[in-house]
Amino acid sequence: MAAGAAMMAAAAFLPVAAEAGQTLDKIKERGVIKVGVGTTPGFFTPDSNGRWQGFFVDFGRALAVTVFNDADKVEFTNSSPQQRLPALQAGEFDILLSGVTETITRAFKLGFHFGPVVFYDGQGLLVRKDLGVTKGEELDGATIGVQSGTTGELNIADFFRKTGKKFTPITIEETSEFTKALDTGRVDALTQDSTDLAARRTQLKKPDDYILLPERLSKEPLAPAVRAGDDQWLEIVNWTIYATIQAEEFGITKENVDTFLKSEDPAIKRFLGVDTSLGEAIGLDPKFAYNIIKAVGNYGEIFERNVGKGTPLNFDRGLNQLWTKGGLIYSPPFR
Amino acid sequence: MLLRIASRKRYEPGFSKPGSWASARQWLGPSPFLQAAFLFVVLAVCWYLGNNVVETMQRLGLKLGFGFLSQRANFEIGESLIAYSSSDTYARALLAGLLNTINVAFFGCVIATVCGVMLGIARLSGNLVLASVARAYVEIFRNTPLLLQLFLWSAIFHSLPAPRRAIEFSGGFFLSNRGIFIPRLIFDGPSVFIWLPLAAAAAGVTIIATRRRFFGQRFYATRILVLSVAMFVAVCWATGVSVSAELPARGGFNISGGLSLTPEFAGLLTGLVFNAAATIAEIVRSGIQSVGNGQWEAARALGLRPGHIMRLIVLPQALRVITPLMTSNYLDLTKNSSLAVAIGFPDLVSVANTTANTTGQTLEAITIIAAAYLTLNLAVSVLMNLYNRRIMLREERRR
């Protein structure tokens, strides 16, 4: 809270009007991109060397490649769900890659714009197995842990009102206290984006005692958030993410990207910057897509490496599969 | 009241009321141009900041205003002293949060005072073990961060057994990580208005008792208590009110019925009390030590016992030192209760944060928080100052 107030105070001192282009100028001057992230294993977590790793973190690195051609010119800062939006607003971050749900209120009333959805999620419920609950509706009279500052706070109230059941919320800001509440049995269930819950489940003392209910209470499209009013910066974010998606669609990976440099396909030539006309036209380094794939890999690689099969989270691609394979992940054409 | 005191002071005999020009001169001080320049700088900074806020908000498409207060809040609150549901307005949600804050602050101040006074006296005890334990307590709780202490208490209350395995005491008392449950008395009868004459009677008894005490007559505590209870029973019987106890019982996911104290409230209250009591103990100790040794010696010479000396001679004098410091402690405790947000107690700040987050009216939410704490603390301050004037030395008051 104090931080929130401080941020508003900070906002008061910030120079007015972030006109188009200002964010990029500031980043170049600073030499590093500031990215706000959360703390969920698989999505954003510092490893034993203090280097940030994770699904969202990789998109931050991809962005650094687009701007600086250096995946390390990016600085990650952990921000709680409560504080992240005011912090972005106050200019503490250039972009939030912390699993923010894109909503119309945030876009119109709160002054944020969103890049492409990088993860399609839905709100879930994590409960103890021995409660014998199989559906959200059976949680009548239950105590449910909610993380403050998320859309989950509103969704869960809507869900129970719709089903005519009662519940008691325990709204906790501290992420670690939030998980602990379930571990100690203070709450019967936790509610949050289901991927986040799956990740938290691995942090519990006995993960096997808990089960993620199959139903989804809401749709949660998680997208990068930036301050409204800087179109150039928003487009850089958009096309950095599209580049990872387009690469997967072309079948270009971190390993085989160099072999594609000799490709005769004009679309691939434009995409990788072998044919420089596209890059010159849009004002970005013609080879930015090549650089991104070389440094962090394509969308599928980022997914599998951080949250896919073989990771502790063991997620299915599900909706986050390419559109060509029945999912929702789609990039506009690079032309 | 305060204003009257202030004005009385200014127009004591010997001073004549200054004319308007003289007042203006007095206000401007000896170097009026410097004052004016300073005022100008302050106003300019305010104007710049205010302008910046307004422009920034305009750029982001935000509109300043409190219209959102009458909109539906759409979120639930864990515990509330007033009826609240997610279909109520933001205004009601904030009121529920404010009442939670006042609740924890009030009980915090009362309990911390009792504990702090006992600890402060214990620190000066001749019993070395007691004095050292009190000292260790004070050092530990004054020198570690309050937030850390809150996490500790919250963890302790959360580590109680889950409701289905709750510790049960006979008579319907439960101890679980969902809260501490006790039986609740339920009054069933024709009308709640029977409370009004009863309350009036109780107030009357209290006033009579107080007056008697002030006029030096004996205070019939036991008789008054018996009389009150008898009156209460008589009124209940006469109006056909029945009293029954609602026992808490296990059911569903939780224990239901009875009165409950949630772990969040208990954790916050315990944390605030333990922390404030340590500071109050130090204040009480220094207050007691400020009373001259001669007072002790004189009292001992009169043959008073140590307990009497403390209660009748030393504490009343020490109060003059203690009270102003206590005021600032109560203010601290009230403000510190805002840390509740970290351990999940829905206080004003927690509710206002959610409000800010869902409406985007951050500036307004912060203004509401600030105004609420300012009002609360000014009220505490005024009450404590009134009390302080009452216990001041007579000459001090007249001066």
Side-chain angles (χ1 to χ4, degrees), chain A residues 1 4-6 8-9 11-19 81-83 85-86 89 105-112 130-131 133 138-143 148-150 153-155 157-158 161 166-174 176-177 180-181 184-189 227-229, chain B residues 45 48-49 51-53 55-57 59-62 68 71-79 85-88 90 147 151 154-155 158-164 177-179 253-254 262-264 338 340-346 349-350 353-354 356-363 366 369:
Chain A
M1 178 52 240
M8 280 312 290
F13 283 96
L14 283 175
V16 188
E19 299 301 338
Q82 182 83 65
Q83 290 161 3
L85 290 170
Q89 203 57 275
T105 312
R106 284 171 176 164
F108 272 95
K109 277 194 76 188
L110 310 194
F112 300 108
D130 60 15
L131 283 184
V133 171
E138 292 166 14
L139 283 168
D140 193 14
T143 308
S148 65
T150 63
E153 225 177 328
L154 304 175
N155 291 335
D158 281 356
R161 207 164 39 195
K166 290 245 173 280
F167 80 108
T168 310
I170 303 290
T171 310
I172 304 173
E173 181 178 356
E174 266 287 315
S176 59
E177 292 289 305
K180 246 186 253 167
T184 58
R186 169 61 185 116
V187 297
D188 299 305
R227 280 182 297 279
Chain B
V45 169
Y48 172 75
L49 292 181
N51 214 24
N52 210 336
V53 167
E55 278 184 53
T56 308
M57 290 184 75
R59 172 169 57 81
L60 300 172
L62 299 179
F68 70 92
Q71 289 167 12
R72 278 164 65 122
N74 287 329
F75 61 88
E76 291 284 349
I77 296 179
E79 56 184 297
S85 81
S86 59
S87 52
D88 285 321
Y90 282 111
L147 189 60
F151 285 146
S154 144
H158 281 179
S159 65
L160 288 169
R164 290 181 187 188
N177 65 1
R178 294 298 164 81
F253 293 101
N254 211 337
T262 66
E264 288 74 33
S338 61
V341 65
I343 58 168
F345 179 70
V349 174
S350 168
N353 270 348
T354 301
N357 223 294
T358 54
T359 59
Q361 312 281 0
T362 314
L363 205 61
I366 291 173
I369 296 174

Side-chain angles (χ1 to χ4, degrees), chain B residues 265-339:
Chain B
F265 182 81
L268 181 65
L269 186 66
T270 317
L272 290 175
V273 163
F274 269 70
N275 189 270
T279 319
I280 292 175
E282 282 297 274
I283 293 171
V284 170
R285 180 186 60 84
S286 61
I288 291 173
Q289 283 178 335
S290 75
V291 177
N293 249 336
Q295 298 285 324
W296 286 89
E297 283 155 10
R300 262 186 230 119
L302 286 172
L304 286 175
R305 281 181 301 163
H308 282 139
I309 301 176
M310 183 62 85
R311 194 161 59 85
L312 299 172
I313 312 281
V314 177
L315 271 185
Q317 297 185 67
L319 268 181
R320 300 197 180 108
V321 176
I322 293 172
T323 310
L325 294 170
M326 290 292 256
T327 310
S328 85
N329 227 297
Y330 291 155
L331 303 185
D332 278 347
L333 191 145
T334 309
K335 287 180 287 180
N336 285 343
S337 69
S338 61
L339 289 171

Side-chain angles (χ1 to χ4, degrees), chain B residues 209-287:
Chain B
T210 321
R211 285 185 68 88
R212 282 185 153 228
R213 179 138 217 195
F214 268 76
F215 287 112
Q217 285 164 348
R218 280 193 61 192
F219 181 64
Y220 302 101
T222 329
R223 284 183 213 181
I224 288 169
L225 194 69
V226 171
L227 187 72
S228 309
V229 173
M231 244 164 36
F232 180 72
V233 172
V235 171
C236 287
W237 182 77
T239 52
V241 171
S242 68
V243 182
S244 59
E246 184 195 67
L247 298 181
R250 288 190 178 91
F253 293 101
N254 211 337
I255 295 168
S256 54
L259 279 180
S260 73
L261 187 66
T262 66
E264 288 74 33
F265 182 81
L268 181 65
L269 186 66
T270 317
L272 290 175
V273 163
F274 269 70
N275 189 270
T279 319
I280 292 175
E282 282 297 274
I283 293 171
V284 170
R285 180 186 60 84
S286 61

Side-chain angles (χ1 to χ4, degrees), chain A residues 122-129 133-134 190-199 201 207 210-216 315:
Chain A
Q123 189 169 338
L125 286 158
L126 184 65
V127 298
R128 275 189 78 90
K129 263 185 199 156
V133 171
T134 55
L190 291 183
T191 189
Q192 219 350 330
D193 294 351
S194 54
T195 49
D196 188 71
L197 288 178
R201 186 168 163 268
Y210 300 89
I211 169 175
L212 191 59
L213 297 185
E215 75 191 304
R216 296 290 171 260
F315 284 164

